[in-house]
Amino acid sequence: MNFLTLLKIIEESGITGMRLKYSSIEKYPLDPTRIQELLSPFADRLSELLPKYLSYWESFYPTLNKEWNNVTWSFPGVEVDFKLYNGDALTWSSEKSEAHVNAWFLDGHSPDKNPEIWSPGIMKSVYENTAIGGTLASFTASGMVKRALREAGFFIKRKKGFGAKRHMIQGLKS
């Protein structure tokens, strides 16, 4: 959803000729049928993007290897260099990287259900892989998560959430 929402914003902005580098870390990548089920309520909003994404994902999904997978996709106005880390975030966080991420969408489920994803070590890796001025956003706004991100070095602010979510957080690396 984050990926398609970002593409929709780019599409609506009228920007063309853009090259986007988008990376995702997934321990259990969803199969195309499950993605279609989950995103079907947003099909009208995502218009042509969703069918195109599903078509790309249907080709990409069966070829996934453990760790990094790369592919380039074309969407209206933007070429996307899509990288998927297929594996555990703890393993990813131990790898050395030269990444300089400008924006993170941190959606690893709640700390009650998935505490290891929000560990101080992983949040430190997120910080180290973030460009100066880089941002993050998450619907997870627990004290544990905010503390881990602050200890890593981010400035964290709690904001009003969307829909049924009371709060969310935003962060900045300065």
Side-chain angles (χ1 to χ4, degrees), residues 9-16:
I9 290 167
I10 292 168
E11 179 184 69
E12 290 173 350
S13 74
I15 294 172
T16 59

Side-chain angles (χ1 to χ4, degrees), residues 136-142 146 150 155-172:
L136 65 85
S138 179
F139 285 119
T140 301
S142 79
K146 290 186 288 190
R150 285 182 178 129
F155 170 77
I156 299 296
K157 181 171 33 170
R158 188 175 80 168
K159 309 269 291 183
K160 183 178 178 347
F162 298 98
K165 296 294 287 180
R166 289 186 337 191
H167 302 109
M168 64 174 286
I169 57 173
Q170 292 180 332
L172 174 69

Side-chain angles (χ1 to χ4, degrees), residues 2 22 24-28 87-90 104-119 122-123 126 136-142 144-145 149 165 169:
N2 291 327
Y22 191 96
S24 183
I25 302 166
E26 300 289 342
K27 188 171 184 177
Y28 305 109
D88 190 89
L90 293 170
W104 292 90
F105 304 105
L106 300 177
D107 290 323
H109 300 290
S110 75
D112 294 341
K113 293 179 182 173
N114 194 1
E116 62 275 357
I117 197 80
W118 302 107
S119 71
I122 290 179
M123 295 304 101
V126 168
L136 65 85
S138 179
F139 285 119
T140 301
S142 79
M144 178 191 118
V145 170
L149 288 165
K165 296 294 287 180
I169 57 173

